[in-house]
Amino acid sequence: MADESTRIDGWLYATLAADSALAALVGGPGSPRIFSELAPSGSAFPLVLFTLQSSTDVVGATESTRIMIDAVYAVTAIAETGTWVGDLQDIADRIDAALHSSVGGIVDSTTVFTSHRIQGLRLLEERDGRQFRRLGGIYRIYAR
Amino acid sequence: MEVRTIVVSNRFKAIAAQLHIDAAEVVRETADKIAASERSSTSQRIARTIKVRRQGALTSTVIAGDKTKALHAGFVEYGTAHRAAKPFATPAAEAQRSTFMRRMKTIVRR
């Protein structure tokens, strides 16, 4: 498989969207606001964003055999809010419930083995006097 | 019948001391490599702020950005609500991960 990351993107979207409580918090089950890399311009908040931070091949002793890939993703809730609690916290909790220690699945011949959180993530952005808060975690995902 | 084992000398102390020295070298070198990799893969403004903080022999922290310059390093690494991420720190650290683990195992098994 030349590029597992796009398949992992698909697994992440499907896994997060399948959490009905999470979907309800970000626009409803019909069209949850869950995006990869960047939300479309004009998207409403809150939303969930996942971004690939790094992807490393796990290789065999000869390095010609690719055993699996070790991908690190930032998965966060983003809201225009003045507080870390409330919906932002609820969404971050649902993200973690869906992804931490998750067993994975198969997307388009790529098998996602496991997903687990390796650290939390919290960022505050101020733009034109408006505050956007980002809360979630960094997840390590093994896939082949 | 009684069996007695009498230790007249051991090298455990010397082995432990050498282990500490070797591990410290691996930690220091790895941190330097991560910092160099980060500098080469991000903007000059952020690169100028990247430094390695040694916290004892076995802990080093690579820091990007500071309170007066390049405040936005975290936003570049993880993205914002309005800008896509351009990770530079995570790939640099992850690239050293397997080499670091292998070197540490070699030291312990020696």
Side-chain angles (χ1 to χ4, degrees), chain A residues 60-120:
Chain A
T62 61
E63 298 198 352
S64 61
T65 309
R66 192 188 307 145
I67 299 168
M68 60 183 180
I69 74 157
D70 174 351
V72 177
Y73 276 81
V75 188
T76 53
I78 301 180
E80 183 176 358
T81 172
T83 174
W84 293 104
V85 296
D87 281 355
L88 184 71
Q89 191 179 54
D90 293 342
I91 297 166
D93 286 347
R94 291 315 309 164
I95 290 171
D96 200 51
L99 299 183
H100 182 59
S101 295
S102 180
V103 174
I106 299 172
V107 177
D108 193 16
S109 325
T110 290
T111 303
V112 175
F113 294 124
T114 59
S115 161
H116 62 274
R117 199 180 88 165
I118 53 176
Q119 68 181 78

Side-chain angles (χ1 to χ4, degrees), chain A residues 39-44:
Chain A
S41 182
S43 294

